[in-house]
Amino acid sequence: MNEYKLPKKLISVQKKINFLSFFLLLVLIFSYFPIFNKKNGESVNSAILNPKYADSVYEIDFFDSSLQSSSLAMKKTGNLWFLECDGFVIPANQAEVKAFLKKSCEIQKFYKISSSKAGLQKLKLLEDQNADFSVTFKYSGYYGKAGEKSTVLFNLEKKSLGKLFLRSQNNFAFEIQDLKLASFLTCQINFWAEPSVFIHTVFSENNANSIQQILLFKNSTNSYGENKQSLLGSCSESNSIKKLLSLNHGQFFSDKKFIQDNSRKSIYSIFVEFGDTSSIKISVIPFQEENYVLSYSFTPADYMESKKSSVIKNLNFAFTVS
């Protein structure tokens, strides 16, 4: 039986197809390799933020393109940090902000992975608006001049593993392994907000001894439609106050209309009074079954520095609690 042989023209076409497939495979491999692999282990010792500017940072801006382009600004007034988001001004978790700044200034190995325009584009680090996440530090530069800033772009594809691809103000994309830094890259208000129900750091800065007493009132309306308050209890003993300050609130509540429409329907009012005459009022408003909304208002001491006093008077936010 004679063996069938392909015509020479078909053999030539098949060889060209095989060669083309092999060539495309090589292109794919080599286009991927320099972007996601460390360049022969080449690295530099660096930090997200130059440590010499750590104490002069007065604003940190976050932008997350993966969450419907959400943004969050943290601004420093005096020695306190406040969050600004969607028209809300909220006291920040002071310890968390300080920990983030400390981590940002930590010197570690940055592995170079790409400097080409194509490489940066594939990593989504070419343009600010295309990056998964960006952090902008605003600080006072030489001679205390405000207005200096530094922006770092992040690719968060492997954030859960603590592996970050990033680019600062140069043409290099770097890779670092830092699970703790990765945990800070979020615009979630609950992560950055002061966690205590009593938001006491605005006035006491973690010093529970500066709180004179905490009062709880029950709100009601009499037969004439007049508002009435009845004292249910008070707390002025230091150890008891410390226990109360350890209570945390729930989720951030962003429905301004609900708060405005129901502010007079609060069933309880909590007053936190400080030794310098500053005070916090917390209105407890019923919301969905056994859940409540805590709406806050602050009254600073008369002699408080005007800029800080103005910020505190304009604080407007609410959290939930079960």
Side-chain angles (χ1 to χ4, degrees), residues 61-73 124 128-136 152-157 159 182-189 192:
D61 297 327
F62 288 164
F63 182 77
D64 188 341
S65 65
S66 65
L67 292 174
Q68 298 179 346
S69 299
S70 63
S71 61
L72 177 69
K124 296 186 290 184
D128 289 20
Q129 61 268 27
N130 293 331
D132 290 338
F133 200 93
S134 68
V135 180
T136 298
V152 184
L153 308 181
F154 290 92
N155 176 317
L156 303 183
E157 184 179 339
K159 175 186 173 182
S183 70
F184 287 118
L185 302 181
T186 176
C187 287
Q188 295 295 326
I189 290 178
W192 290 108

Side-chain angles (χ1 to χ4, degrees), residues 56 58 139-148:
S56 65
Y58 58 84
Y139 52 87
S140 300
Y142 294 106
Y143 308 110
K145 182 182 177 182
E148 300 292 326

Side-chain angles (χ1 to χ4, degrees), residues 43-297:
S43 65
V44 294
N45 291 324
S46 188
I48 301 300
L49 173 67
N50 191 324
K52 69 180 180 181
Y53 297 127
D55 294 334
S56 65
V57 174
Y58 58 84
E59 183 175 340
I60 307 170
D61 297 327
F62 288 164
F63 182 77
D64 188 341
S65 65
S66 65
L67 292 174
Q68 298 179 346
S69 299
S70 63
S71 61
L72 177 69
M74 294 190 285
K75 297 182 179 180
K76 192 176 186 181
T77 300
N79 55 352
L80 291 176
W81 287 91
F82 296 90
L83 312 178
E84 292 187 10
C85 180
D86 296 330
F88 293 95
V89 182
I90 309 161
N93 185 331
Q94 307 302 314
E96 208 68 67
V97 178
K98 290 174 183 176
F100 170 64
L101 282 170
K102 182 179 179 181
K103 170 56 70 173
S104 298
C105 294
E106 186 178 285
I107 304 297
Q108 59 178 300
K109 283 194 179 297
F110 281 54
Y111 292 94
K112 295 180 181 179
I113 52 175
S114 181
S115 59
S116 69
K117 184 176 180 180
L120 293 173
Q121 194 164 17
K122 286 189 178 181
L123 281 168
K124 296 186 290 184
L125 296 176
L126 185 62
E127 303 289 344
D128 289 20
Q129 61 268 27
N130 293 331
D132 290 338
F133 200 93
S134 68
V135 180
T136 298
F137 299 95
K138 295 181 180 179
Y139 52 87
S140 300
Y142 294 106
Y143 308 110
K145 182 182 177 182
E148 300 292 326
K149 68 178 183 178
S150 171
T151 298
V152 184
L153 308 181
F154 290 92
N155 176 317
L156 303 183
E157 184 179 339
K158 297 185 179 180
K159 175 186 173 182
S160 60
L161 302 175
K163 182 180 289 189
L164 299 171
F165 302 117
L166 60 95
R167 176 194 175 197
S168 56
Q169 293 171 313
N170 56 46
N171 291 323
F172 273 107
F174 294 95
E175 176 189 322
I176 62 172
Q177 186 75 35
D178 195 328
L179 196 60
K180 181 60 178 176
L181 178 63
S183 70
F184 287 118
L185 302 181
T186 176
C187 287
Q188 295 295 326
I189 290 178
N190 263 73
F191 179 87
W192 290 108
E194 161 65 50
S196 172
V197 164
F198 298 97
I199 319 288
H200 61 285
T201 54
V202 170
F203 295 132
S204 64
E205 298 178 31
N206 285 322
N207 182 8
N209 294 325
S210 65
I211 296 177
Q212 298 300 297
Q213 62 178 342
I214 298 176
L215 305 169
L216 174 63
F217 290 89
K218 180 177 176 59
N219 301 329
S220 60
T221 306
N222 62 24
S223 57
Y224 299 102
E226 299 170 334
N227 293 329
K228 180 182 177 183
Q229 284 190 328
S230 304
L231 180 64
L232 293 182
S234 64
C235 177
S236 57
E237 198 271 322
S238 180
N239 288 331
S240 298
I241 288 176
K242 286 180 180 179
K243 289 180 182 179
L244 288 174
L245 295 184
S246 67
L247 298 174
N248 291 343
H249 54 68
Q251 295 295 311
F252 171 67
F253 190 79
S254 61
D255 191 341
K256 289 183 179 179
K257 189 174 186 304
F258 174 89
I259 297 170
Q260 291 169 352
D261 292 347
N262 295 275
S263 60
R264 295 186 178 181
K265 297 179 182 178
S266 62
I267 56 174
Y268 299 105
S269 293
I270 302 171
F271 289 88
V272 184
E273 298 180 348
F274 297 82
D276 63 355
T277 71
S278 299
S279 64
I280 302 173
K281 178 185 176 182
I282 307 171
S283 299
V284 183
I285 306 169
F287 175 72
Q288 293 183 353
E289 298 179 356
E290 296 183 3
N291 294 318
Y292 301 89
V293 171
L294 305 180
S295 178
Y296 294 79
S297 61

